[in-house]
């Protein structure tokens, strides 16, 4: 024995020496014996152990062969570097002041990009209460408890350990981790990953462990309460782990699973002192026991809880605290001796400065020969009231509406979760089943559609209650033209925000939300409507504070009246109070933001039939369209871009009438016509019909070249590039149920021809058609390198383009286009649950864990329309 550890059967490497040929939702035949046995159970087949047939699947021994690096200044060409020299100097000065003087994190930190760690699995937790991400090998490795602020520490003591006992003697005890850390060395680390695989179909994930030499298989099912149209359970900061134990032996076994957790998230804050743990027991209809880990900090303190459910076959024991920095012999031996922990009563002492603490809960059950057993754990965390980085205002998270704001909810959250997770799973199955059982849909798509939803919870998401005296208009009643001071949807469903990306720390970045919003409006429409009211309120406000914008070095207002904001703020400041954290460009001059608001207003109305919402938003739409009209400098009914990157492609300059912004403009004018018709605004209907007629003629005359719409009309050498996103206006027109008869905006033959050209050049002529659609392609089939973004693939744009193809009947082309992006990100580059904004053909990516790929739900909307 070493450190109190018994000697037991070691795994034989012969049968599973290679795990590289794994399936990740593809149609390839399974090469792994365990996968073959267990795929097709679980999920929609609850009576069969295992995992669903569809999802992202990987062997725990897998190693990705391709390693990419984040985009850095050294990746910029000399010509681009010279043209952006002023921006670079100004950014450097601003970055120095922010980080060294103000001691704050920049909203975009180009000097400290997140390195690619090919480890992430499905996150735990609902919307807005914080998230904890587990890696696909089981590690707890990404943390967002403080709203919008991430840490990326793998906390090695957070583990599940299995103990098998036969005839009163422990025969096997193993940490279910492939790691071999330098701490807790009395523990039996180094589980052979070749004997296990991970499967994710968000909001659930499964890990199947075969215990070598023991004839025992464990299935860990991880569940988060993400349920469409459910605005209570979906907000809960919890995760449930259901362990199914299969004893394939001819003899009975006693099986224990131990869940260990550190008090903290792996940061230096864990050692500040004053943290303490205590056991708890809650006995209602269901009985649970566990340990509370109180993390006592001056701001945003919280309590975590680990617990397990008592059943006729399962008994629960605990260890209130142990030192995770020593060898770990005491707790290891405690479990080894009898498969149970000592369960001491009373609280632990508060930690001293420099000291850390952890706790453990064990669930033990008897599993007869050739039979199965189940034990159920919950991880909950309760940070009920939060301050953003400014520390100015206290906010109550949305889940506290149901569980209180006193910081004592962790036991109740745990109990509720363990009592109700089966109902959650039934609702998840009911939601996912029609898509998963649709044999016309590709397997990879079923994985992509659900797994990309991770960002709605793990996008730095915050969901808060609003006070009864909130006035979103700030009494600007003469300008808000009927926008209610406290819209009913905000009062009943709260305020919702999510980041542009985990590296681009701005809430509700609106030019990107335009793409991502399909997931919200289709699945949690009240949150989309709430978000829209907040944007509308900002439109009607003005912040005349002058600041320097980094691209030009010029002073401009923070927020301009009657213009849609870029974002509603930085979580390290005070969101909703101070908007437009983005200060690279003055976005009051951007051409797409106002248009994207109008299009989303009508799309949301079309999908919800919320007449009050439409009436409230109509005056705001009028105001932003009047602001936009000034960009039609020649009065031909078509707006012009201003010669710089004045839209969501903020590194790709555009001059004069353009396919992207011009198309969005015409689509918005069309939506204004439809809204005016519905609201019986005859004069406005005539006004916008006239603009639409003139604008359509100008758009076709200036941009159509017989095969596609030119990037812009500047006559510069790259103005005739093929932009993959040139049909964005048509995408939304169709999503709004428009595009025919008097509401036809673009000739159908032109849209078909343009999409086929994009498919031929941007998709099939790029990386052999295997990486999605590159943003810009030259007519001769070479990549457009005129900007730092034209040679990128934007994952969310690819999904939107695929939806547009499906809308226009090019279904196979749409799936082929999207498949390339999904397989590149999830299977080749190891970017599961961190889908980036962009990647290039080789070497680099940009902005991990990004909002825009949620646009994949526009593909489902298009497919729904075909089905209907």
């Amino acid at each position: 024995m070493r450190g109190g550890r018994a000697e037991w059967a070691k795994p034989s490497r012969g049968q599973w020496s290679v795990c590289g040929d794994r399936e990740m939702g593809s149609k390839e035949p399974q090469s792994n014996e365990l996968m073959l046995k267990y795929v097709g159970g679980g999920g929609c087949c609850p009576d069969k152990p295992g995992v669903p047939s569809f999802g992202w699947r990987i062997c725990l021994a897998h190693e990705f062969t391709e390693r990419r690096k984040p985009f850095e200044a050294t990746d910029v060409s000399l010509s681009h570097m010279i043209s952006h020299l002023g921006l670079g100097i100004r950014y450097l000065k601003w970055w120095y002041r922010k980080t060294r003087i103000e001691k704050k994190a920049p909203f975009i930190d180009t000097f400290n990009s997140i390195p690619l760690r090919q480890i992430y699995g499905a996150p735990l937790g609902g919307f807005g209460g914080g998230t904890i991400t587990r890696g696909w090998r089981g590690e707890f490795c990404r943390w967002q408890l403080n709203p919008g602020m991430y840490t990326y520490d793998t906390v090695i003591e957070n583990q599940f350990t299995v103990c098998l006992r036969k005839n009163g003697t422990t025969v096997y005890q193993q940490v279910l981790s492939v790691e071999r850390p330098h701490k807790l060395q009395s523990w039996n680390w180094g589980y052979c990953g070749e004997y296990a695989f991970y499967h994710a179909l968000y909001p659930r994930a499964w890990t199947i462990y075969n215990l070598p030499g023991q004839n025992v298989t464990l299935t860990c099912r991880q569940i988060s309460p993400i349920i469409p149209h459910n605005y209570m359970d979906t907000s809960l900061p919890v995760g449930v782990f259901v362990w199914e134990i299969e004893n394939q032996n001819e003899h009975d076994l006693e099986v224990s699973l131990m869940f260990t957790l550190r008090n903290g998230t792996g940061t230096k804050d864990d050692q500040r002192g004053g943290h303490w743990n205590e056991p708890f027991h809650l006995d209602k209809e269901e009985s649970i026991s566990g340990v509370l880990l109180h993390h006592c900090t001056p701001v945003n303190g919280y309590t975590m809880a680990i617990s397990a459910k008592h059943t006729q076959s399962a008994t629960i024991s605990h260890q209130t605290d142990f030192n995770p920095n020593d060898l770990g012999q005491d707790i290891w031996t405690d479990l080894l001796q009898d498969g149970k922990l000592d369960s001491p009563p009373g609280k632990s002492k508060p930690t001293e400065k420099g000291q850390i603490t952890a706790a453990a809960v064990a669930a033990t059950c008897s599993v007869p020969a050739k039979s199965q057993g189940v034990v159920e754990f919950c991880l909950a965390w309760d940070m009920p009231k939060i301050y953003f980085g400014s520390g100015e205002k206290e906010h109550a998270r949305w889940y506290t509406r149901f569980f209180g704001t006193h910081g004592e909810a962790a036991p109740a959250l745990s109990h509720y979760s363990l009592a109700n997770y089966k109902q959650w799973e039934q609702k998840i199955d009911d939601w996912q089943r029609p898509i998963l059982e649709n044999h016309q849909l590709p397997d990879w798509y079923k994985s992509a559609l659900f797994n990309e939803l991770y960002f709605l919870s793990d996008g730095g998401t915050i969901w808060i209650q609003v006070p009864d005296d909130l006035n979103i208009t700030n009494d600007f009643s003469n300008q808000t033209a009927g926008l209610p001071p406290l819209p009913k949807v905000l009062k009943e469903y709260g305020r919702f925000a999510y980041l542009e990306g985990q590296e681009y720390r701005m809430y509700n970045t609106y030019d990107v939300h335009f793409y991502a919003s399909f997931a919200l409006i289709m699945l949690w429409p009240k949150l989309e409507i709430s978000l829209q009211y907040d944007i509308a309120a900002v439109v009607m406000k003005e912040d005349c504070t002058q600041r320097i914008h980094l691209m030009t070095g010029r002073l401009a207002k923070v927020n301009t009246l009657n213009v849609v904001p870029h974002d509603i703020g930085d979580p390290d400041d005070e969101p909703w109070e101070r908007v437009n954290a983005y200060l690279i460009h003055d976005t009051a001059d951007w051409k797409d933001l106002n248009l994207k608001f109008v299009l989303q207003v009508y799309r949301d109305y079309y999908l919800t039939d919320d007449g009050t919402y439409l009436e409230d938003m109509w005056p705001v739409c009028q105001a932003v369209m009047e602001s936009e009209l000034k960009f039609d400098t020649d009065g031909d009914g078509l707006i012009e871009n201003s010669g710089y990157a004045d839209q969501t492609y903020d590194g790709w300059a555009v001059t004069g009438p353009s396919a992207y912004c011009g198309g969005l403009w015409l689509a918005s004018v069309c939506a204004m016509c439809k809204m005016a018709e519905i609201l019986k605004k005859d004069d406005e209907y005539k006004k916008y019909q006239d603009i639409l007629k003139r604008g359509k003629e100008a758009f076709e005359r200036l941009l159509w070249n017989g095969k596609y719409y030119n990037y812009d009309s500047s006559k510069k050498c790259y103005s005739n590039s093929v932009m993959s996103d040139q049909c964005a206006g048509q995408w939304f027109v169709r999503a709004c149920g428009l595009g025919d008869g008097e509401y036809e905006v673009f000739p159908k033959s032109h849209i078909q021809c343009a999409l086929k050209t994009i498919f031929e050049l941007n998709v099939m002529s790029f990386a052999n058609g295997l990486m999605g659609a590159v943003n810009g392609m030259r007519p001769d089939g070479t990549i457009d390198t005129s900007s730092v973004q034209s040679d990128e693939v934007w994952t969310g744009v690819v999904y939107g383009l695929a939806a547009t193809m499906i809308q226009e009947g090019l279904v196979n082309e749409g799936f082929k286009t999207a498949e390339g992006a999904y397989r590149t990100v999830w299977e080749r580059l190891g970017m599961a649950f961190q889908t980036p904004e962009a990647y290039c053909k080789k070497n680099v990516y940009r902005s991990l864990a990004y909002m825009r790929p949620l646009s994949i739900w526009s593909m489902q909307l298009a497919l729904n329309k075909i089905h209907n």
Side-chain angles (χ1 to χ4, degrees):
M1 297 179 69
R2 180 174 64 84
R5 189 175 72 203
E7 291 297 324
W8 34 73
K10 300 295 184 183
S12 168
R13 296 180 58 88
Q15 56 177 330
W16 285 12
S17 59
V18 177
C19 290
D21 296 330
R22 84 281 179 213
E23 174 175 303
M24 296 183 184
S26 72
K27 296 180 180 178
E28 306 292 330
Q30 304 290 342
S31 61
N32 186 301
E33 183 178 329
L34 195 64
M35 292 184 187
L36 275 175
K37 181 176 180 181
Y38 284 92
V39 168
C44 297
C45 301
D47 295 332
K48 179 183 176 183
V51 305
S53 298
F54 310 104
W56 182 73
R57 195 174 305 132
I58 188 168
C59 173
L60 266 60
H62 181 72
E63 295 289 341
F64 289 95
T65 57
E66 185 169 353
R67 301 281 197 275
R68 291 216 170 188
K69 66 184 187 70
F71 182 87
E72 299 170 337
T74 53
D75 298 302
V76 180
S77 68
L78 181 60
S79 61
H80 290 150
M81 196 173 293
I82 292 171
S83 63
H84 291 91
L85 185 60
L87 168 65
I89 294 171
R90 285 184 288 272
Y91 177 83
L92 181 59
K93 290 179 178 178
W94 172 83
W95 181 90
Y96 181 86
R97 183 176 69 251
K98 194 77 174 175
T99 59
R100 300 297 186 264
I101 299 174
E102 298 178 20
K103 305 297 183 182
K104 289 277 192 175
F107 73 95
I108 296 178
D109 192 344
T110 59
F111 297 114
N112 295 288
S113 297
I114 301 173
L116 176 60
R117 301 171 72 201
Q118 298 163 315
I119 65 172
Y120 296 117
L124 292 158
F127 294 175
T131 45
I132 299 171
T133 297
R134 289 186 79 214
W136 46 268
R137 290 190 178 103
E139 59 271 68
F140 289 73
C141 50
R142 186 168 68 197
W143 307 80
Q144 188 256 145
L145 299 187
N146 286 315
M149 309 301 289
Y150 277 85
T151 58
Y152 299 88
D153 299 284
T154 295
V155 182
I156 197 65
E157 52 266 42
N158 294 0
Q159 298 291 345
F160 284 99
T161 296
V162 62
C163 173
L164 305 182
R165 292 172 59 78
K166 176 185 175 183
N167 298 325
T169 302
T170 297
V171 295
Y172 181 88
Q173 189 161 297
Q174 173 73 53
V175 184
L176 295 172
S177 169
V178 300
E179 302 296 332
R180 297 179 182 273
H182 296 297
K183 60 193 297 188
L184 298 170
Q185 291 190 14
S186 290
W187 294 16
N188 185 29
W189 296 93
Y191 173 82
C192 181
E194 296 172 0
Y195 288 79
F197 72 92
Y198 176 86
H199 181 100
L201 188 67
Y202 188 77
R204 292 183 291 181
W206 295 254
T207 310
I208 309 287
Y209 301 90
N210 186 23
L211 304 185
Q214 306 304 313
N215 285 326
V216 173
T217 301
L218 306 176
T219 300
C220 176
R221 189 166 78 255
Q222 172 185 309
I223 307 148
S224 292
I226 306 298
I227 303 166
H229 307 286
N230 180 315
Y231 298 90
M232 175 182 162
D233 293 348
T234 301
S235 73
L236 302 183
V238 299
V240 173
F241 303 94
V242 180
W243 287 85
E244 297 176 345
I245 306 154
E246 289 183 81
N247 178 11
Q248 295 135 5
N249 290 287
E250 300 292 340
H251 54 263
D252 299 348
L253 285 174
E254 183 182 82
V255 181
S256 300
L257 281 150
M258 179 175 69
F259 186 10
T260 51
L261 191 78
R262 177 174 177 163
N263 189 327
T265 62
T267 68
K268 62 181 181 181
D269 188 64
D270 299 354
Q271 303 179 56
R272 66 178 295 126
H275 310 314
W276 57 283
N277 307 336
E278 63 174 325
F280 75 96
H281 178 80
L282 201 54
D283 194 357
K284 295 182 180 178
E285 294 178 2
E286 306 278 1
S287 179
I288 71 167
S289 295
V291 180
L292 303 176
L293 299 88
H294 301 290
H295 199 80
C296 304
T297 56
V299 179
N300 296 350
Y302 59 90
T303 296
M304 292 194 289
I306 52 174
S307 60
K309 185 164 73 172
H310 294 270
T311 65
Q312 288 185 343
S313 61
T315 58
I316 313 304
S317 57
H318 73 270
Q319 182 56 257
T320 308
D321 72 316
F322 69 91
N323 180 6
N325 274 348
D326 66 14
L327 293 176
Q329 181 169 346
D330 289 345
I331 192 168
W332 186 263
T333 304
D334 187 8
L335 184 69
L336 188 68
Q337 287 175 345
D338 61 1
K340 299 180 179 65
L341 301 175
D342 283 345
S343 300
K347 305 174 183 177
S348 71
K349 294 179 180 179
T351 56
E352 302 290 337
K353 187 173 182 179
Q355 182 183 17
I356 61 174
T357 185
V361 171
T364 304
C365 68
S366 296
V367 185
K370 301 295 184 180
S371 187
Q372 298 179 7
V374 175
V375 295
E376 301 142 297
F377 291 90
C378 180
L379 170 61
W381 53 99
D382 181 28
M383 185 192 286
K385 294 183 177 181
I386 57 98
Y387 287 90
F388 292 110
S390 71
E392 295 174 18
K393 291 187 174 183
E394 186 180 66
H395 305 272
R397 295 190 193 261
W398 182 251
Y399 77 86
T400 65
R401 185 181 181 110
F402 315 104
F403 286 88
T405 59
H406 301 296
E408 301 171 350
L413 284 165
S414 303
H415 185 276
Y416 181 84
S417 301
L418 288 169
N420 289 279
Y421 79 85
K422 292 179 181 178
Q423 288 90 328
W424 296 346
E425 289 201 275
Q426 184 60 58
K427 292 174 182 177
I428 292 168
D429 280 339
D430 292 344
W431 160 43
Q432 294 183 338
R433 184 182 298 108
I435 293 171
L436 299 181
E437 293 183 352
N438 185 340
H439 300 299
Q440 295 181 324
L441 299 177
D443 293 357
W444 66 264
Y445 171 76
K446 298 169 184 178
S447 172
L449 184 69
F450 293 112
N451 283 326
E452 291 288 11
L453 280 175
Y454 84 94
F455 194 81
L456 282 179
S457 66
D458 203 18
T461 309
I462 187 69
W463 186 1
I464 58 175
Q465 297 192 61
V466 298
D468 291 337
D469 60 353
L470 177 69
N471 185 343
I472 65 171
T473 68
N474 281 3
D475 294 323
F476 291 142
S477 56
N478 60 320
Q479 296 171 349
T480 55
L483 195 65
L486 180 54
K488 183 179 179 182
V489 70
L490 263 75
K491 187 173 182 178
E492 294 185 356
Y493 296 95
R495 262 182 166 162
F496 179 87
Y498 60 148
L499 297 175
E500 178 178 335
Q502 291 181 12
E503 295 191 81
Y504 288 10
R505 208 182 57 245
M506 296 158 282
Y507 272 140
N508 294 350
T509 298
Y510 202 72
D511 57 300
V512 184
H513 174 70
F514 173 74
Y515 293 81
S517 61
F518 284 91
L520 276 183
I521 194 61
M522 293 172 68
L523 302 174
W524 293 274
K526 299 298 184 183
L527 298 182
E528 164 68 7
I529 299 298
S530 171
L531 186 156
Q532 286 284 82
Y533 272 103
D534 273 328
I535 294 293
V538 176
V539 168
M540 297 302 181
K541 299 174 187 176
E542 190 164 30
D543 184 347
C544 295
T545 305
Q546 297 286 304
R547 67 177 181 184
I548 292 177
H549 288 85
L550 300 178
M551 182 62 74
T552 62
R554 297 172 189 160
L555 285 168
K557 296 176 184 177
V558 170
N559 190 53
T560 301
L561 185 66
N562 293 337
V563 172
V564 171
H566 175 273
D567 58 83
I568 55 96
D570 179 351
D572 204 26
D573 187 22
E574 192 63 44
W576 290 289
E577 291 296 315
R578 284 185 290 279
V579 303
N580 284 335
Y582 179 85
L583 46 69
I584 295 175
H585 293 283
D586 175 13
T587 60
D589 196 43
W590 274 19
K591 307 305 181 292
D592 60 339
L593 288 168
N594 295 331
L595 310 176
K596 289 172 174 177
F597 178 80
V598 171
L599 287 169
Q600 286 184 80
V601 165
Y602 183 69
R603 190 272 321 268
D604 296 347
Y605 165 76
Y606 172 70
L607 293 178
T608 64
D609 199 29
D610 187 338
T612 300
Y613 167 72
L614 185 65
E615 291 177 1
D616 287 345
M617 293 296 155
W618 171 252
V620 187
C621 290
Q622 286 183 290
V624 301
M625 288 298 280
E626 285 300 314
S627 294
E628 194 77 12
L629 271 169
K630 70 177 180 289
F631 299 128
D632 180 10
T633 57
D634 57 7
D636 65 352
L638 187 63
I639 62 169
E640 291 88 39
N641 291 88
S642 300
Y644 72 99
D646 54 354
Q647 26 70 46
T648 195
Y649 296 87
D650 58 353
W652 194 356
V654 57
T655 303
S658 66
Y660 184 69
C661 290
L664 291 175
W665 163 254
L666 293 179
S668 299
V669 174
C670 176
M672 289 296 288
C673 291
K674 185 63 177 178
M675 287 188 282
E677 178 190 3
I678 293 168
L679 296 171
K680 296 181 170 47
K681 307 288 185 181
D682 294 340
D683 290 343
E684 286 83 356
Y685 175 82
K686 292 175 183 177
K687 170 185 174 179
Y688 287 108
Q689 275 285 5
D690 176 64
I691 295 172
L692 183 60
K693 180 179 179 182
R694 291 182 290 112
K696 286 163 60 175
E697 187 279 327
F699 187 81
E700 297 297 325
R701 172 169 46 84
L702 294 170
L703 294 165
W704 180 250
N705 65 17
K707 291 190 68 178
Y708 60 91
Y709 293 102
N710 287 335
Y711 177 69
D712 66 22
S713 55
S714 66
K715 307 304 181 186
K716 294 181 180 179
C717 58
Y718 284 93
S719 67
N720 65 337
S721 284
V722 185
M723 185 188 197
S724 65
D725 213 4
Q726 64 182 268
C727 296
Q730 177 71 1
W731 173 40
F732 251 76
V733 165
R734 287 296 192 194
C736 292
L738 304 173
D740 295 310
E742 65 176 305
Y743 292 106
E744 180 182 274
V745 181
F746 311 96
K748 293 179 182 178
S749 60
H750 288 187
I751 292 294
Q752 283 267 335
C753 189
L755 290 172
K756 289 177 180 179
T757 301
I758 294 167
F759 184 72
E760 176 188 345
L761 292 176
N762 301 60
V763 180
M764 298 308 296
S765 297
F766 174 72
N768 297 317
L770 299 177
M771 292 183 70
V774 68
N775 283 342
M777 186 69 89
R778 300 295 299 138
D780 63 0
T782 58
I783 298 171
D784 182 340
T785 58
S786 63
S787 81
V788 294
Q789 292 176 338
S790 55
D791 65 345
E792 293 182 324
V793 177
W794 286 12
T795 316
V797 169
V798 172
Y799 291 149
L801 169 62
T804 313
M805 291 175 171
I806 292 168
Q807 289 168 344
E808 302 302 322
L810 302 175
V811 177
N812 292 334
E813 290 86 345
F815 279 130
K816 174 66 176 176
T817 298
E819 180 180 6
Y822 169 77
R823 291 199 186 280
T824 297
V825 169
W826 288 73
E827 297 183 358
R828 175 178 152 194
L829 301 184
M831 295 177 175
F833 298 101
Q834 53 182 329
T835 305
E837 158 74 318
Y839 55 87
C840 291
K841 187 175 181 180
K842 296 180 180 179
N843 302 328
V844 299
Y845 64 87
R846 184 168 57 78
S847 187
L848 289 172
Y850 199 75
M851 176 196 289
R852 204 183 314 252
L854 286 166
S855 61
I856 193 169
W857 277 85
S858 67
M859 293 179 66
Q860 189 58 35
L861 180 64
L863 291 164
N864 290 346
K865 287 179 177 290
I866 291 175
H867 177 74
N868 292 337

